[in-house]
Amino acid sequence: YKSIAAFNQGYFSTMAKDNGNTGRWNIDEHVQFLEGIKKHAKNWKLVERHVPSRSGPQIRSHAQKFFKRIQVNCENGETPFECLKRTNFSLEVILSGMDEKDKTLEMAAELRQKMKDGTINLVD
């Protein structure tokens, strides 16, 4: 590489998948993410397989923000992941972890319906 900028451009362009998915997560990606963390906890390589439209760094960044938002629902000393498990991945806790801009009534209704009709199974 002739410069640091050229190295960085090449390095960071190979980090993202070639799917071009950037920006806000849609409901299907979020459901895939939830299914992945329910099944594999924080084994990010395995969680990545559940969200094929996002890169590893995107998934880890999403998880970091999601878990930080969930913290308000956690009992004293409880980790966000323990909180999710304790509440059996309740819709209320899941929605609390979503970005306010993504938390529309339509998205909440769609997520609730997917959970109810068994399209996604986050409840044990």
Side-chain angles (χ1 to χ4, degrees):
Y1 293 102
K2 295 183 180 189
S3 72
I4 300 280
F7 171 79
N8 285 342
Q9 183 178 11
Y11 175 76
F12 290 111
S13 67
T14 60
M15 282 178 58
K17 293 180 182 174
D18 289 337
N19 55 32
N21 238 9
T22 60
R24 302 229 165 268
W25 285 52
N26 64 41
I27 185 72
D28 293 325
E29 290 172 325
H30 195 65
V31 166
Q32 292 166 350
F33 165 76
L34 292 168
E35 291 172 334
I37 61 171
K38 180 170 189 214
K39 187 171 185 179
H40 304 294
K42 292 184 179 182
N43 185 334
W44 300 118
K45 288 291 180 192
L46 295 177
V47 173
E48 284 178 40
R49 294 180 188 168
H50 282 268
V51 192
S53 60
R54 295 292 180 155
S55 68
Q58 287 174 316
I59 292 167
R60 290 187 302 275
S61 174
H62 186 70
Q64 184 178 30
K65 293 171 194 168
F66 179 74
F67 286 137
K68 184 176 181 179
R69 290 184 197 110
I70 283 178
Q71 193 67 51
V72 299
N73 292 296
C74 298
E75 294 177 352
N76 204 11
E78 186 177 47
T79 69
F81 190 74
E82 291 168 339
C83 179
L84 276 172
K85 287 179 9 183
R86 175 182 53 79
T87 62
N88 211 11
F89 282 73
S90 76
L91 183 61
E92 177 187 351
V93 174
I94 289 169
L95 289 173
S96 75
M98 295 173 70
D99 187 299
E100 288 299 321
K101 294 174 185 166
D102 295 336
K103 231 187 315 186
T104 63
L105 290 176
E106 294 82 15
M107 182 176 273
E110 186 176 350
L111 187 56
R112 182 179 290 112
Q113 186 60 43
K114 285 177 182 278
M115 292 173 84
K116 183 179 179 181
D117 68 16
T119 306
I120 58 170
N121 184 17
L122 297 174
V123 180
D124 288 328

